[in-house]
Amino acid sequence: MDKTGAFVISLDFELYWGVRDKRTIQSYEQNLVGVRQVIPALLELFAKYEMHVTWATVGFLFCESRMELSGVIPRHLPAYSDGKLSPYPYIEAEAIGEHEQVDPYHFAPSLIKLISSYPHQFIGSHTLSHYYCLEPGQTPEAFAADLDSFQRVTRKKGYSPSSIVFPRNQVQPAYLSLCKKKGFRSYRGNEQSWMYHTRGAAEETLFKRAMRLMDTYVNLSGHNNYETLRRSPEGMVDVPSSRFLRPYHPRLHWLEKWRLKRIKRDLTHTAKHNRLYHLWWHPENFGNHIEENLSFLEEILQHYSLLRERYGMQSLSMEEASAKWNQQEVRHEVLV
């Protein structure tokens, strides 16, 4: 395959499972309800611009009912030091409804089926339970059990995901061999800049968050695009992140043109130099201010369309990038 610039998009599809330890349903309800409108609109945009997209999906969302969800709970559970991180006491307390029709916050089989009905849309893994790989108290045994249960429920539904996105970008290099043994071939790593490195929630300082916010509008960390993809000794291909697509915020509306310029310049540099650029976000992020978010995304996709015509830039899913794009072997430092 001739090497040309590549534009990768991945979405972290979580619903309430991704924010359960930080927000109440009431405080996030508009986003959770709005995503039912957002996902069909995203799929139409992706079809219009022929975008190949990976949807990293929490395993619980595949379940049709609370009974089915209870049946996929792993034998080994993570014993997080911060008890709020575990969803299992929450499930046992019957805080969720019987099925998707009465509880659109915890179930999404209809949305997953819709995503799968569109061309070039790939279902990936976001673990079964939105598992936190760098938080104190979790273990390799619990992570392996989580992956086993994820595969059990997805295979039952007819899916065999080969890509994985670690929740909250907590990439644990020591777990890559486990992922490979379970049949995964690619994962989304983090940007190279120090401000995007993560070792768990304790190291998510206010200063780092502030620097990442500034980097959204002003080029502090570079274009974050890649000449090659790194393949670990285990055979897992890192398709690293370039930028999180922050949602529209009314108080920052005056900065929107700079946010758009930042991404367009990144993409142009990527296309000109035959590199790879990886944009990601949560579909739930667009559930509030839906029109503004979708309009912003379409401007990005229109720019990509111009770059495709001018430089031959291509749209690739994580799965396609890991199989087709330029790679090099590297050795990871194992973190414990």
Side-chain angles (χ1 to χ4, degrees):
M1 178 178 182
D2 293 334
K3 183 185 174 188
T4 62
F7 184 20
V8 175
I9 291 177
S10 62
L11 301 179
D12 297 8
F13 185 24
E14 309 169 345
L15 293 185
Y16 189 56
W17 298 111
V19 297
R20 181 195 49 77
D21 58 309
K22 293 179 175 290
R23 308 189 65 164
T24 64
I25 285 179
Q26 290 72 26
S27 69
Y28 203 53
E29 188 168 22
Q30 188 163 355
N31 293 75
L32 294 172
V33 172
V35 79
R36 302 274 164 175
Q37 178 182 344
V38 166
I39 287 179
L42 286 175
L43 291 168
E44 287 298 313
L45 276 179
F46 294 153
K48 178 179 179 181
Y49 292 95
E50 301 180 3
M51 304 306 297
H52 299 214
V53 178
T54 295
W55 296 73
T57 306
V58 167
F60 287 154
L61 298 182
F62 290 84
C63 295
E64 301 278 349
S65 66
R66 186 169 66 197
M67 180 179 296
E68 184 179 11
L69 192 153
S70 297
V72 301
I73 293 176
R75 284 189 295 173
H76 299 285
L77 302 182
Y80 300 117
S81 298
D82 181 355
K84 297 194 303 294
L85 296 177
S86 177
Y88 297 106
Y90 177 77
I91 294 171
E92 291 171 2
E94 297 189 349
I96 62 177
E98 289 292 339
H99 48 71
E100 184 178 16
Q101 286 67 37
V102 298
D103 185 348
Y105 315 121
H106 299 97
F107 302 99
S110 69
L111 291 176
I112 295 170
K113 290 176 185 176
L114 179 65
I115 293 166
S116 300
S117 72
Y118 276 73
H120 312 305
Q121 306 304 300
F122 295 74
I123 301 297
S125 173
H126 206 33
T127 73
L128 175 77
S129 62
H130 207 256
Y131 189 99
Y132 305 111
C133 293
L134 294 177
E135 295 299 337
Q138 64 81 34
T139 64
E141 292 76 18
F143 178 66
D146 185 280
L147 290 187
D148 283 340
S149 292
F150 173 87
Q151 292 184 318
R152 192 160 59 247
V153 68
T154 53
R155 286 172 179 168
K156 179 182 175 183
K157 308 295 180 179
Y159 300 95
S160 297
S162 64
S163 66
I164 184 167
V165 170
F166 293 92
R168 302 211 175 135
N169 299 309
Q170 292 187 6
V171 177
Q172 172 57 282
Y175 288 178
L176 295 181
S177 60
L178 286 172
C179 293
K180 181 64 176 179
K181 288 177 183 177
K182 304 297 182 185
F184 294 101
R185 295 190 291 273
S186 64
Y187 68 100
R188 189 180 73 209
N190 296 317
E191 295 92 323
Q192 296 175 355
S193 172
W194 64 269
M195 68 181 74
Y196 294 100
H197 294 175
T198 179
R199 289 293 300 273
E203 293 197 11
E204 282 297 289
T205 64
L206 180 62
F207 178 69
K208 286 177 73 173
R209 292 198 297 269
M211 292 297 290
R212 291 200 296 265
L213 178 62
M214 291 175 61
D215 192 41
T216 301
Y217 306 101
V218 181
N219 190 342
L220 300 180
S221 66
H223 292 296
N224 291 313
N225 54 23
Y226 307 95
E227 184 177 2
T228 59
L229 297 182
R230 309 194 322 165
R231 182 161 55 88
S232 74
E234 302 85 5
M236 289 288 289
V237 179
D238 180 4
V239 188
S241 167
S242 299
R243 182 147 312 281
F244 170 60
L245 181 59
R246 291 181 180 271
Y248 174 85
H249 197 295
R251 284 185 293 182
L252 299 175
H253 71 91
W254 56 282
L255 289 171
E256 285 295 273
K257 65 179 181 180
W258 298 105
R259 184 164 73 102
L260 185 61
K261 282 182 180 180
R262 175 80 163 102
I263 296 173
K264 283 185 174 182
R265 286 170 178 166
D266 287 346
L267 284 170
T268 299
H269 183 274
T270 301
K272 285 183 175 180
H273 296 277
N274 296 327
R275 296 170 77 91
L276 180 143
Y277 190 81
H278 188 167
L279 191 68
W280 71 278
W281 70 96
H282 309 86
E284 298 86 2
N285 295 145
F286 282 17
N288 198 3
H289 307 294
I290 294 174
E291 183 177 344
E292 291 86 351
N293 283 310
L294 291 174
S295 176
F296 189 91
L297 175 61
E298 184 156 23
E299 291 198 61
I300 294 172
L301 300 184
Q302 287 172 348
H303 186 66
Y304 158 73
S305 184
L306 292 174
L307 297 174
R308 179 174 56 193
E309 293 176 9
R310 186 171 301 174
Y311 301 104
M313 195 179 200
Q314 58 187 322
S315 171
L316 297 176
S317 68
M318 286 179 59
E319 294 79 2
E320 292 169 328
S322 68
K324 301 176 182 179
W325 214 70
N326 198 32
Q327 298 174 24
Q328 65 173 340
E329 288 197 33
V330 297
R331 300 203 67 82
H332 280 290
E333 174 187 357
V334 176
L335 303 179
V336 294

